[in-house]
Amino acid sequence: MATGGDPAEKHTKRLAMSQQTLDDAYAAPANFLEIDVVNAETHGIANKRYTDYEVRMRTNLPIFTLKESTVRRRYSDFEWLRTELERDSKILVPPLPGKALKRLLPFRSDDGIFEDEFIEERRAALEVFVNKVSGHPLAQNEKCLHMFLQDTAVDKNYIPGKVKNN
């Protein structure tokens, strides 16, 4: 192969690679977004009971104004997020864990949706859901996702739109 005058050779030349150091290999990732759904708590009595979950977020992505946040969310808040993303974004939104309608039937011998095992299964499934959604670059620009992850209360009357990256 001739060298020198071929303009295509200049554009296809390999990049110079450097050896990775241990510091580079074990350093914090360049961009990360970590979301945990933890500490399920059941509140109320009788038919006024509900369970909410602590949603913890850590990130260094510039699109997020807060780099760490902790909020509490109910299952209905996850449903709201999914509905908003389906309506406003161009992404295929994964399904939520089911509503467990059989567990809501009266005269059960157990606590239904307030059983520890069910709450833990739902918590794990909600964590998978929110990580799939928030990992999508297009979803990261949606106001509803930012509100869900970072605001103490979800304003369901917000004006949908994109987040401006400053």
Side-chain angles (χ1 to χ4, degrees):
M1 179 179 221
T3 59
D6 185 8
E9 184 179 318
K10 177 174 73 174
H11 298 294
T12 58
K13 192 169 95 181
R14 291 191 177 262
L15 296 174
M17 298 295 288
S18 61
Q19 187 71 28
Q20 184 179 33
T21 66
L22 282 177
D23 287 339
D24 292 339
Y26 292 99
N31 288 315
F32 69 91
L33 175 61
E34 298 171 356
I35 300 171
D36 298 313
V37 177
V38 295
N39 299 333
E41 290 181 8
T42 299
H43 309 272
I45 56 172
N47 64 349
K48 300 285 186 205
R49 286 198 297 180
Y50 67 92
T51 301
D52 66 9
Y53 306 86
E54 187 175 305
V55 179
R56 296 180 187 162
M57 183 205 68
R58 280 189 52 228
T59 187
N60 66 354
L61 294 174
I63 192 77
F64 290 95
T65 52
L66 298 176
K67 299 309 171 198
E68 290 188 26
S69 65
T70 301
V71 295
R72 294 209 68 85
R73 296 290 180 250
R74 295 173 65 163
Y75 181 83
S76 59
D77 296 324
F78 286 86
E79 287 180 312
W80 171 84
L81 175 63
R82 185 174 193 283
T83 300
E84 292 299 301
L85 288 170
E86 279 185 320
R87 185 186 71 208
D88 296 328
S89 71
K90 303 289 186 234
I91 67 170
L92 181 61
V93 184
L96 280 167
K99 275 293 247 187
L101 296 175
K102 288 182 183 174
R103 288 186 172 267
L104 294 172
L105 294 173
F107 310 115
R108 292 181 56 93
S109 61
D110 62 8
D111 269 346
I113 62 170
F114 302 107
E115 284 282 317
D116 289 343
E117 184 179 316
F118 174 75
I119 290 172
E120 175 54 25
E121 286 172 13
R122 179 176 267 184
R123 182 212 58 77
L126 291 173
E127 184 174 87
V128 168
F129 167 79
V130 76
N131 274 288
K132 281 182 180 179
V133 165
S134 61
H136 196 292
L138 294 177
Q140 291 172 3
N141 292 316
E142 296 294 334
K143 283 184 183 178
C144 60
L145 179 65
H146 286 248
M147 186 186 327
F148 179 86
L149 292 173
Q150 299 185 318
D151 293 359
T152 51
V154 173
D155 176 10
K156 295 184 179 174
N157 296 316
Y158 85 113
I159 298 169
K162 306 290 183 225
V163 173
K164 306 278 190 273
N165 191 359
N166 296 334

